[in-house]
Amino acid sequence: GLHAIPPPTWAAAFRWGYSLGSESLAGSKQNSVQPENCISRVIVGEFGMRSHAQWCAMLSMIAGMISCPVAAQPPTLYELGAEIMRLDNEKRFSEALVVAQRAVELAEKKKEQDPNQAATFLVLLAAIKQKLGHYDECEPLYQRALALATEQRTKSNARLNLAVLYFGQRQFAKAERLYRSAIKDNDKLLGPEHPANATLLLNLSELY
């Protein structure tokens, strides 16, 4: 069998073999390291030449440690947001919901650094749930978005979507209050003559 090798020497061999394998992998389109390309220096340099059986056994052992796929980088919030919008435009709302939930989880972890970003993704998640008819789950998301939002535009979007939700639930008093707030927001953000205000006024008139 193999001669006993002190643990520190094995650790050094593994580290060296892994670094060599990573370099080989970085310059290759293959998904795993080919052992013969990166391990021979470890075997010869650390342990000297051995019998064929010993060589194969050691090669197999170390190859198992370093033959691993390239770790995929997780998507950024920007990429997740783009994917949500793409799926939403294609009316693939169930798929968009899964991505939006993942984005909210990530944004919530970073809310101390950027609370408005977390609020933006909460609005997106609630809007998708609204399109899927999950109305009872929408209001808490919009309310949390309003609590976190630091930018007026994000607050306005949350208020407007919440107004639409209340209107659909025939909670007309709540809807009216939010529509009026959204009109004031648009006056500040876009100017009183912006076409978006005409749409809001039309929605407001339907309450009477």
Side-chain angles (χ1 to χ4, degrees):
L2 292 174
H3 298 298
I5 300 174
T9 307
W10 274 111
F14 289 151
R15 284 197 298 272
W16 188 12
Y18 187 85
S19 66
L20 291 171
S22 300
E23 291 170 6
S24 297
L25 187 58
S28 168
K29 294 184 179 179
Q30 297 177 358
N31 288 330
S32 61
V33 179
Q34 296 301 314
E36 62 271 19
N37 295 334
C38 59
I39 299 181
S40 58
R41 282 177 56 193
V42 178
I43 303 298
V44 176
E46 283 287 326
F47 312 123
M49 291 299 295
R50 298 183 180 275
S51 70
H52 180 72
Q54 291 172 334
W55 172 277
C56 290
M58 193 176 295
L59 188 66
S60 176
M61 183 181 297
I62 300 179
M65 295 291 294
I66 67 173
S67 294
C68 56
V70 178
Q73 293 297 318
T76 64
L77 280 171
Y78 177 84
E79 291 168 336
L80 290 173
E83 180 69 0
I84 292 166
M85 298 307 296
R86 182 183 70 80
L87 293 169
D88 180 70
N89 288 336
E90 295 174 2
K91 302 189 184 304
R92 295 161 62 184
F93 302 129
S94 295
E95 295 173 66
L97 178 63
V98 174
V99 181
Q101 288 171 328
R102 183 179 180 186
V104 165
E105 289 175 5
L106 181 57
E108 286 275 13
K109 293 177 181 178
K110 301 180 178 182
K111 68 177 182 293
E112 299 300 326
Q113 293 80 22
D114 193 346
N116 197 75
Q117 186 177 62
T120 298
F121 281 101
L122 283 164
V123 172
L124 278 175
L125 176 60
I128 293 168
K129 284 179 177 286
Q130 205 165 333
K131 291 179 179 181
L132 288 168
H134 303 170
Y135 302 121
D136 293 341
E137 301 173 21
C138 297
E139 183 178 4
L141 293 171
Y142 286 133
Q143 295 291 4
R144 176 156 176 76
L146 286 168
L148 287 175
T150 57
E151 296 181 12
Q152 194 62 39
R153 186 179 299 278
T154 306
K155 291 180 180 179
S156 180
N157 288 337
R159 288 193 189 107
L160 181 55
N161 285 8
L162 190 52
V164 173
L165 177 68
Y166 285 148
F167 181 85
Q169 294 175 331
R170 302 183 68 81
Q171 300 185 54
F172 298 130
K174 291 182 177 181
E176 179 183 0
R177 184 171 66 252
L178 288 169
Y179 273 130
R180 292 190 182 280
S181 295
I183 290 170
K184 290 180 181 179
D185 291 338
N186 275 7
D187 283 345
K188 294 176 183 177
L189 293 169
L190 306 173
E193 304 302 321
H194 195 277
N197 274 345
T199 303
L200 288 176
L201 288 168
L202 180 61
N203 291 345
L204 184 60
S205 69
E206 293 179 4
L207 295 172
Y208 302 103

